[in-house]
Amino acid sequence: HINALLNLPEIQSQWMRIHGGSHTSADVDRLLEIFVPMNKVSIRECGQLIPGIAELTKTLRERQIKIGSTTGYTKELLDILLPIAKEQGYQADALSYSGDTPLGRPSPQMMHKCAEQLGLFNPLSFIKVDDTLPGIEEGKAFGCWTVGVAVSGNALGLSLEELNALPKEESENLKNLARMKMQEMQPDYVIDSVADLMPIIDQINRRLDLGEKPNSL
């Protein structure tokens, strides 16, 4: 991620202006050493669940729907994050993280790892919910249903407090732009928040009964 950011033209030009040349792999390693401690602080400060997620988790449990998670976080960071999430009512049944598999997203290797942990191997019984292109592509590569999250994630990129502080017209414009961004990734469905997932699960179950498959198949 750090290397990808440094390769963005606007960041690369600033780097070259300040340092007089392109960044090296040693620079990436050095920045990672600075970033990880900052990330630990950020997790503690910003680890609140998205509104509605605890209730969604409870409903999924009642319906005996398992929860898996593939994440770009390292094990070191998850050791901080997972207890915070559990305290608020969210816990995954299966988990695969950065460095856990030879390849990360958009490879489906982490999803295969979760499937193995769950003992479930039919991709059509899985739904990949994500707010990034690599995450949506991961789901497609695995062969499952994909749901893009537009407003409560990266596509919008604002906290709930920041979003609520905006004038209504500006807020709606940004939401619509985020929805369009997610639609461009071509998931099977787009929702505003992960908390809006249950009606989509019902729709997918009806489509499965009709013998339908995800759009990517």
Side-chain angles (χ1 to χ4, degrees):
H1 287 153
I2 290 170
N3 190 54
L5 286 170
L6 290 173
N7 280 319
L8 291 174
E10 63 269 32
I11 295 179
Q12 195 174 59
S13 63
Q14 292 177 57
W15 180 279
M16 292 184 75
R17 188 174 70 249
I18 293 168
H19 298 284
S22 299
H23 69 277
T24 65
S25 58
D27 291 320
V28 175
D29 291 341
R30 180 172 56 83
L31 289 172
L32 182 63
E33 287 178 9
I34 298 167
F35 171 74
V36 170
M38 291 171 66
N39 212 171
K40 289 179 179 179
V41 173
S42 178
I43 286 170
R44 292 188 176 99
E45 291 178 348
C46 309
Q48 296 81 23
L49 285 184
I50 291 167
I53 296 303
E55 293 80 3
L56 172 67
T57 303
K58 184 172 181 290
T59 304
L60 292 173
R61 298 275 180 239
E62 289 169 353
R63 289 182 55 169
Q64 297 184 315
I65 296 172
K66 299 292 185 181
I67 302 171
S69 178
T70 65
T71 174
Y73 278 115
T74 62
K75 179 70 166 59
E76 183 182 5
L77 295 173
L78 284 174
D79 286 343
I80 299 169
L81 179 60
L82 293 178
I84 294 172
K86 185 178 180 181
E87 211 171 79
Q88 298 174 78
Y90 172 82
Q91 187 175 17
D93 301 297
L95 181 69
S96 187
Y97 48 86
S98 181
D100 187 34
T101 55
L103 295 175
R105 295 168 294 183
S107 156
Q109 287 184 358
M110 287 198 289
M111 289 202 67
H112 282 292
K113 193 86 178 267
C114 283
E116 189 177 341
Q117 291 173 39
L118 294 170
L120 301 169
F121 299 101
N122 179 4
L124 294 180
S125 67
F126 286 79
I127 303 171
K128 183 67 171 73
V129 185
D130 212 286
D131 61 348
T132 67
L133 180 58
I136 296 298
E137 293 299 321
E138 173 191 28
K140 291 178 184 178
F142 182 66
C144 70
W145 304 88
T146 54
V147 176
V149 179
V151 175
S152 68
N154 283 299
L156 184 69
L158 295 176
S159 68
L160 183 60
E161 293 75 20
E162 289 168 334
L163 183 62
N164 288 340
L166 294 174
K168 187 174 181 182
E169 186 176 350
E170 185 179 351
S171 169
E172 285 305 313
N173 285 339
L174 288 174
K175 287 179 183 179
N176 286 331
L177 283 171
R179 290 168 188 139
M180 286 169 60
K181 277 185 194 174
M182 287 309 309
Q183 290 286 5
E184 287 169 4
M185 299 178 198
Q186 299 184 326
D188 294 294
Y189 298 91
V190 172
I191 55 179
D192 280 355
S193 166
V194 187
D196 303 325
L197 185 60
M198 285 313 304
I200 302 300
I201 292 176
D202 292 335
Q203 285 187 50
I204 289 173
N205 280 331
R206 286 194 292 272
R207 290 181 64 182
L208 285 169
D209 288 341
L210 294 170
E212 295 184 23
K213 294 182 179 181
N215 296 335
S216 59
L217 300 180

